[in-house]
Amino acid sequence: MTSAGTIRDWVASAHSIAVLTGAGISAESGIPTFRDAGGLWKNFRAERTARGAHQVTDEQSRPAALYANMTPEQLATPQAFARDPKFVWEWYDWRRSVIAQAEPNAGHMALAQLEKRTADFTLVTQNVDGLHDRAGSTRLLKVHGDIWTLRCTLCGRERQDLRPNLPELPPQCHCGGIERPGVVWFGENLPPEIWSQAEQSASAAGLFLVVGTSALVYPAAGLVHLAKASGAKVVEVNPAETPVSGMVDFSWRAPAAEALPQIL
Ligand code: APR
């Protein structure tokens, strides 16, 4: 039986399905991942334009290297934001503009369809790009937050802002406080209610799909172990080997947009 046929059978017979996605599912939409060759933590390039704004582009365009060799600690931590909020915001502003031009791909669409036909279904995503929402997923737990949400560092007010580029960096709240991206940075806790629902869905799942994540960042990666220990069949969809490849029931080495439509 083909790999797709096996997984289709598992999907059809599962009483409940939980899915964990990472940056890899959005790779085929043109959004760079974090840790692959050319990923955000490896190959970040930027240039200062004549207008003074930072324009960050990819490796192909060979601009000057403003953010080159940046580590997560230099961009995605509360300390980095406290040190230089404008610098951190420029990076997020660039990512917002890249994401705004992207469309959900066949992998996102397949998961939205899977939700419609599965009574007990939860999609846990580490992605902040909003492409699962745009594909139509609703039973969605964003454990690392949402890049389109802004949160005031002073009064805590949250708001959605879908403009690809914000007019002022850092953006300001009505109360006068600086706003921050509504994402979870390294060293921060995951939103407790969302995380607890994610753990529940992983431990209750009959089938757990882990798609497009390096499975290196915890606690999110721990959901794979939790699902397995709780008795789920675990299927990984990833063109590359990861630390969980050896413990899953099936490691499907394929890109998400190619593999996921085949399991429906
Ligand atoms: N389909 C499926 N998987 C893919 C594809 C694809 N088309 N392209 C790449 N991948 C895989 C890579 O092989 C890699 O294992 O996606 C994974 C991407 O890994 P990371 O870049 O580490 O992304 P992720 O696992 O989501 O990172 C976790 O780290 O920096 C933080 O907060 C950020 O949520 C993010 C977290």
Side-chain angles (χ1 to χ4, degrees):
M1 201 189 288
T2 64
S3 55
T6 309
I7 312 306
R8 257 199 311 273
D9 287 350
W10 289 355
V11 165
S13 59
H15 65 275
S16 87
I17 300 177
V19 185
L20 172 68
T21 61
I25 195 168
S26 296
E28 288 154 279
S29 294
I31 301 175
T33 61
F34 293 93
R35 295 173 184 80
D36 293 304
L40 290 171
W41 298 141
K42 289 229 169 112
N43 242 327
F44 200 42
R45 297 287 186 274
E47 65 181 350
R48 193 174 280 275
T49 65
R51 283 195 220 98
H54 293 140
Q55 181 153 33
V56 186
T57 56
D58 64 21
E59 179 73 321
Q60 271 93 36
S61 54
R62 306 208 175 280
L66 177 64
Y67 296 108
N69 305 318
M70 281 285 174
T71 62
E73 290 70 27
Q74 286 167 294
L75 284 165
T77 62
Q79 293 78 10
F81 189 72
R83 202 163 42 238
D84 194 343
K86 187 163 190 284
F87 184 68
V88 170
W89 256 116
E90 282 164 348
W91 186 62
Y92 280 95
D93 206 48
W94 167 71
R95 286 178 59 197
R96 286 164 62 105
S97 68
V98 171
I99 295 165
Q101 288 165 37
E103 296 294 334
N105 64 50
H108 298 102
M109 304 308 276
L111 291 180
Q113 276 186 46
L114 190 58
E115 171 183 321
K116 287 202 182 80
R117 60 160 77 171
T118 311
D120 188 351
F121 180 92
T122 308
L123 173 51
V124 181
T125 188
Q126 299 167 87
N127 299 346
V128 299
D129 56 29
L131 290 189
H132 284 307
D133 310 74
R134 284 167 58 194
S137 289
T138 59
R139 280 178 261 160
L140 180 59
L141 299 173
K142 298 181 198 173
V143 291
H144 289 172
D146 185 336
I147 202 167
W148 303 107
T149 299
L150 277 55
R151 186 166 75 246
C152 179
T153 54
L154 203 56
C155 73
R157 186 182 77 120
E158 286 198 351
R159 67 181 177 98
Q160 291 289 114
D161 190 324
L162 300 179
R163 287 174 292 181
N165 289 110
L166 296 168
E168 183 198 5
L169 297 179
Q172 277 203 359
C173 179
H174 293 316
C175 80
I178 290 177
E179 290 173 307
R180 57 164 282 176
V183 302
V184 178
W185 282 324
F186 288 95
E188 292 187 319
N189 291 329
L190 273 52
E193 179 55 29
I194 290 175
W195 177 245
S196 131
Q197 288 176 40
E199 284 186 315
Q200 273 169 33
S201 66
S203 54
L207 177 65
F208 190 85
L209 306 177
V210 49
V211 182
T213 177
S214 58
L216 287 170
V217 174
Y218 282 78
L223 293 177
V224 186
H225 301 271
L226 177 59
K228 182 74 187 151
S230 308
K233 270 206 161 59
V234 181
V235 174
E236 176 178 57
V237 176
N238 196 317
E241 188 175 357
T242 75
V244 298
S245 299
M247 56 153 288
V248 301
D249 295 275
F250 194 93
S251 188
W252 193 354
R253 298 284 162 77
E258 195 182 289
L260 291 177
Q262 297 181 53
I263 68 170
L264 296 173

